[in-house]
Amino acid sequence: MRSVVAGVVPTLGHMTDAVMLERIAGRRAELDVLEDELVKQLVKQLAEVPCERDELVVAERVVQRISEQGFGEYLTLAPPEAQVGGRSVLLIPTRAAGVGPDALPSDYQRLLTIVRDAAGPVTVKEVGGVLGLLVGVRGKLGPLRGKLNKLADRGWLRKLADGRFTVAF
């Protein structure tokens, strides 16, 4: 091992001090850029938190008002079919205590099973693939997307911000 003579730092192998200092400066610049990017991402995520909290406060108020006015019981008493304009229309019940997946029509039960059996959140395209739909053809997934959204709206599924679906319970 070489010793430090008169304040001169020994070099590593064939690298000169200038090359090492250049590499150190380059790495420091990379870390500065990375730090800036991460800070921007965190600031963006932190800015979304109060907005989502405000939305949750509003949702809690709505639920409380519905409960206080006695409308909550009507959500679970809806019949599985209704007449609209003389035509029979299928209704998807809202998920509530005492209402199991067997209350859903069979095609909706199948969608629920596909999402539940997936390893994680799934896209409409992935569900369509499991169902054997032509996922590459434009417009073929629209009705499926509508059904998945309806299940999410009724509390059976949860739709994530990126558009994927996962089980709600």
Side-chain angles (χ1 to χ4, degrees):
M1 184 172 199
R2 296 193 286 186
S3 63
V4 177
V5 178
V8 176
V9 178
T11 60
L12 296 174
H14 65 281
M15 275 198 268
T16 64
D17 292 342
V19 171
M20 286 177 41
L21 291 173
E22 185 178 320
R23 286 188 177 181
I24 291 170
R27 182 61 183 152
R28 183 174 284 136
E30 289 174 4
L31 291 174
D32 289 344
V33 169
L34 179 63
E35 181 181 36
D36 289 344
E37 290 173 2
L38 291 174
V39 166
K40 287 177 186 176
Q41 288 176 352
L42 288 173
V43 166
K44 182 181 176 190
Q45 289 176 348
L46 285 172
E48 294 172 358
V49 169
C51 182
E52 187 171 346
R53 280 195 178 133
D54 292 344
E55 290 173 355
L56 290 173
V57 168
V58 171
E60 286 175 338
R61 287 180 187 157
V62 169
V63 168
Q64 287 174 348
R65 285 183 184 157
I66 287 174
S67 177
E68 290 169 358
Q69 295 174 0
F71 291 120
E73 63 197 42
Y74 295 113
L75 295 176
T76 58
L77 298 177
E81 290 187 3
Q83 292 289 324
V84 175
R87 292 181 37 207
S88 182
V89 178
L90 191 61
L91 295 178
I92 306 304
T94 301
R95 185 175 154 254
V99 179
D102 55 330
L104 296 170
S106 60
D107 54 337
Y108 284 85
Q109 287 180 23
R110 183 158 186 224
L111 295 177
L112 193 61
T113 301
I114 290 170
V115 174
R116 187 182 314 129
D117 292 347
V122 293
T123 63
V124 175
K125 193 173 190 176
E126 292 168 336
V127 174
V130 172
L131 293 172
L133 299 176
L134 300 172
V135 296
V137 178
R138 185 177 177 92
K140 292 292 182 181
L141 297 177
L144 175 60
R145 181 175 288 106
K147 287 182 177 184
L148 290 170
N149 281 322
K150 189 174 286 189
L151 286 171
D153 292 343
R154 302 296 197 288
W156 294 98
L157 294 177
R158 196 175 107 206
K159 186 174 183 180
L160 303 176
D162 62 0
R164 295 180 300 160
F165 294 89
T166 187
V167 289
F169 45 91

